[in-house]
Amino acid sequence: MAGIWIYAEEQSLAKQLLTAGKELAQKINEPVVAIAIQSDMASALAGAGADKVFHLQAKTDWVENYEKPIAALLQKEEPSVVLIGGSLRGKALAAALAADMQTGLVNSALTLSYSDGAIETSRIMYGGLAVCTEVLSQGCVVTIESHVFEEAQTGQAPGEIAAMEVSLESKVELIRVDPIVHQGEDLQAASTVICVGRGLNGQEDMKLAESLAQKTHGVVGCTRSIAEDYHWLPTEAYIGLSGQKVKPDLYISMGVSGQVQHVAGIRDAKIIVAIDTNENAPIFSAADYGIVGDLHEVVPALIASIVK
Amino acid sequence: MNIIACYKWVLDEQDIKITTGSLALDTSRAKGKISEYDKNAIEEAVLQAAKSGAEVSTLTFGTGKAKASLKDALSRGPEKAYWVNDEKASTADGYVTANVLAAAIRKIGSADLLLFGEGSSDVYGQQVGPRVAALLEVPAITFVSKFEIQGDKVVATRTLGDSIEQVAVKLPAVLTLLPEINKPRIPSLKQVIGAAKKPMQEFKVADLDLPAAAVEPKTKVKSLLGFVMKRKNQIYKLDTVEASVQALVAGLAKDGVL
């Protein structure tokens, strides 16, 4: 039946994929078919513009086990393209799916387009230095991360829901799961982000960042080394290509050099401000405004001049 | 027990320049290196082998240029290096790379544990490890921040976006590793010299009995262009900090973000 197929293990991301799928559907004139694994997700997607929803019904404690029945369904249906929610679990599932279907996989696509009879994607490469446009053969798998597309709106003429009972097998024994307390979500939703880097003299400088965040109603994030080498903030607070990708109205960095991997995580910020002593730091070429100076002087002066 | 750490020989992204105007990537000054996260995979293989007495080898799929990687890989502790040397590597996507690596692993014989970085530092495709697992029909544990071999099982901690989970699988298995799992060594001079004496084995894609379709990429690069952000680049370095801050605050107010 061809079509654009979408699947995400979580409802919000599935609705974002639906938006991406529907935009593409207008260009290639094919239906958008969703795969859901909960009944509320199935009805939400059917009401948000999916032409058809397959509701896979099974019990499992490990959501990645849905890979095999999804692969079986897709192999039968021969989709034009498969969009998968690009969470880390989603990427693991997508890779296994692509291997089982003997097809291509593009992870973390930023755009989907249609040109000369083929679907094309764009994504970041070389740690944020470059954008790669790829031409996909028929039936490829594409993952799209959260917050790249808006959620599809509900209240549309509901599509058909087909329930399917499936059996899941697992080679993986789940021992325990501990949720991570979510600083990352705050960062992704924040309208102002204050980011600290290795230019800080010590952990006591975190107070400066917190004061600035308080004044600007912002959230504090950091570079990878602050989280992973210094542990001043949790891992999920680091911003960059392999960490959080933020899109605030205002991003202010303190002592961040601006390696390409970090800059890739802030490319969608509306305004980027950099404060650093090294005027040759790459962050300044990625910034709208910069102040070359000691953050211990600049940040208190900035806090004092913001009237809020 | 045999552990194979797979790696990719990539261009060092720090040496790649963007050509002004055309935005083409200038790689003429870029040197090769073992992809950063794959260094973690090699290191972890060697650390685990020290505990379990396993034998460690490395495997890469690359063009002729990847020859330079073999000594580097061996200087990090493994006993043997395998190399699928083929020009097809230059256009390979994750589909082709996984098909080639899985076929090479079958050719090598037994592997109890296969370790990969979570993605390469050039294209960061994030798929070859779990693809190889699916092709070899063994379980994959992705995004591993810590693991332990316990008899015929591996118990691993995965650090995911919303949770940390602990899982166990029976060997043989594929693990893809997060960079926080270890700090890759900087090989000593003695280790570098010692590497030259270790065995290396080369294959061609033709030796791997793969159908032609298995080495034909499914995704093809149409363009690869430098990413340039259009920014105002208004940098203040005025006489006093207060003057710079005032200029900044005025700009932010005008942009409506304060």
Side-chain angles (χ1 to χ4, degrees):
Chain A
M1 92 185 259
I4 299 158
W5 286 64
I6 68 159
Y7 166 76
E9 76 241 11
E10 182 266 320
Q11 188 169 318
S12 166
L13 186 49
K15 283 186 185 163
Q16 295 167 37
L17 296 181
L18 202 47
T19 301
K22 286 189 331 185
E23 281 178 17
L24 188 61
Q26 290 187 337
K27 295 172 198 155
I28 68 174
N29 199 21
E30 286 187 20
V32 180
V33 186
I35 298 170
I37 55 172
Q38 291 120 20
S39 57
D40 60 336
M41 186 196 273
S43 46
L45 295 174
D51 296 297
K52 185 169 184 179
V53 180
F54 283 89
H55 176 197
L56 303 187
Q57 296 176 324
K59 278 208 166 62
T60 183
D61 56 359
W62 204 62
V63 72
E64 287 157 67
N65 285 334
Y66 279 98
E67 188 271 324
K68 289 286 173 206
I70 292 173
L73 179 60
L74 292 175
Q75 266 160 340
K76 207 171 69 187
E77 301 283 349
E78 297 181 353
S80 293
V81 67
V82 183
L83 310 182
I84 303 284
S87 63
L88 296 185
R89 289 184 198 279
K91 286 178 177 178
L93 179 137
L97 199 59
D100 284 344
M101 295 170 66
Q102 284 287 289
T103 191
L105 165 63
V106 171
N107 270 318
S108 307
L110 296 173
T111 63
L112 284 167
S113 55
Y114 184 68
S115 168
D116 295 332
I119 293 168
E120 296 181 1
T121 54
S122 71
R123 63 186 294 271
I124 293 287
M125 279 189 185
Y126 289 105
L129 187 77
V131 177
C132 184
T133 303
E134 283 163 286
V135 181
L136 312 188
S137 57
Q138 174 79 16
C140 281
V141 180
V142 176
T143 69
I144 296 173
E145 292 182 16
S146 194
H147 302 293
V148 176
F149 289 86
E150 301 284 330
E151 283 184 20
Q153 293 304 309
T154 47
Q156 316 216 16
E160 175 197 349
I161 298 176
M164 287 174 75
E165 276 199 34
V166 293
S167 63
L168 303 179
E169 285 173 32
S170 185
K171 294 174 185 165
V172 175
E173 175 201 343
L174 181 65
I175 300 169
R176 60 180 291 171
V177 187
D178 297 304
I180 293 174
V181 180
H182 245 303
Q183 184 136 9
E185 284 294 306
D186 299 345
L187 268 180
Q188 287 179 2
S191 60
T192 300
V193 169
I194 311 298
C195 184
V196 294
R198 283 211 298 214
L200 264 56
N201 283 352
Q203 193 166 4
E204 66 276 8
D205 287 346
M206 291 297 294
K207 289 202 187 83
L208 272 177
E210 284 152 18
S211 309
L212 182 57
Q214 207 170 25
K215 193 76 187 236
T216 55
H217 306 291
V219 177
V220 180
C222 64
T223 59
R224 187 165 200 163
S225 65
I226 293 296
E228 291 193 343
D229 299 337
Y230 296 79
H231 305 290
W232 293 347
L233 284 174
T235 306
E236 62 270 20
Y238 89 76
I239 298 166
L241 188 64
S242 50
Q244 302 291 341
K245 291 167 196 88
V246 297
K247 42 170 85 172
D249 292 331
L250 176 61
Y251 161 97
I252 304 176
S253 77
M254 304 168 41
V256 172
S257 65
Q259 289 185 335
V260 286
Q261 286 87 349
H262 176 71
V263 173
I266 60 170
R267 49 180 271 166
D268 293 326
K270 190 174 158 207
I271 296 289
I272 294 176
V273 177
I275 301 166
D276 197 62
T277 45
N278 175 13
E279 66 181 297
N280 296 320
I283 191 75
F284 286 117
S285 48
D288 292 288
Y289 301 101
I291 294 183
V292 180
D294 183 349
L295 64 95
H296 302 91
E297 296 171 19
V298 176
V299 174
L302 181 58
I303 292 170
S305 2
I306 296 171
V307 196
K308 234 180 192 177
Chain B
M1 175 150 63
N2 288 310
I3 304 178
I4 300 180
C6 296
Y7 70 86
K8 183 177 184 184
W9 184 246
V10 300
L11 290 175
D12 191 334
E13 69 279 4
Q14 304 293 345
D15 304 330
I16 299 174
K17 298 276 173 275
I18 298 170
T19 311
T20 318
S22 73
L23 299 182
L25 298 189
D26 174 7
T27 57
S28 58
R29 285 160 173 263
K31 289 187 280 293
K33 64 172 182 181
I34 293 178
S35 173
E36 294 301 330
Y37 303 165
D38 297 345
K39 289 179 188 166
N40 297 102
I42 298 172
E43 183 68 32
E44 194 61 26
V46 173
L47 294 175
Q48 292 284 344
K51 287 185 221 162
S52 63
E55 261 191 44
V56 178
S57 46
T58 59
L59 169 62
T60 192
F61 171 41
T63 65
K65 289 178 190 152
K67 190 177 175 68
S69 72
L70 301 174
K71 251 177 83 174
D72 185 355
L74 289 171
S75 71
R76 297 170 183 276
E79 287 311 311
K80 185 167 183 183
Y82 294 95
W83 172 32
V84 183
N85 171 15
D86 210 290
E87 263 313 300
K88 286 193 189 304
S90 63
T91 55
D93 58 0
Y95 163 79
V96 171
T97 302
N99 284 340
V100 168
L101 291 179
I105 291 160
R106 284 204 186 93
K107 188 105 186 163
I108 291 166
S110 70
D112 301 292
L113 185 60
L114 293 157
L115 301 182
F116 293 80
E118 59 133 330
S120 64
S121 48
D122 55 352
V123 304
Y124 200 51
Q126 292 188 294
Q127 55 185 277
V128 172
R131 272 183 183 271
V132 167
L135 294 171
L136 296 176
E137 295 176 14
V138 302
I141 311 181
T142 50
F143 307 105
V144 170
S145 52
K146 197 167 80 181
F147 76 90
E148 201 175 287
I149 300 168
Q150 296 177 354
D152 65 345
K153 277 199 328 192
V154 55
V155 177
T157 303
R158 305 173 78 204
T159 303
L160 300 163
D162 57 354
S163 58
I164 292 175
E165 73 175 26
Q166 210 178 32
V167 292
V169 295
K170 273 210 146 138
L171 295 173
V174 165
L175 267 59
T176 73
L177 309 181
L178 292 169
E180 58 256 40
I181 197 163
N182 59 41
K183 281 235 181 296
R185 73 191 62 193
I186 296 166
S188 67
L189 185 61
K190 195 176 153 212
Q191 287 168 325
V192 172
I193 293 168
K197 299 186 192 114
K198 292 180 179 175
M200 305 173 192
Q201 189 173 345
E202 183 179 329
F203 302 112
K204 289 280 177 193
V205 165
D207 303 330
L208 301 176
D209 308 317
L210 282 166
V215 290
E216 191 55 44
K218 297 283 186 184
T219 60
K220 289 181 180 146
V221 174
K222 184 181 182 184
S223 71
L224 182 59
L225 295 172
F227 173 66
V228 183
M229 282 205 289
K230 288 191 181 58
R231 295 286 174 183
K232 298 186 218 283
N233 296 125
Q234 181 67 57
I235 311 302
Y236 301 108
K237 209 176 117 189
L238 303 179
D239 291 342
T240 66
V241 165
E242 285 69 26
S244 293
V245 167
Q246 268 169 26
L248 168 65
V249 170
L252 295 178
K254 208 175 95 211
D255 293 332
V257 291
L258 263 193

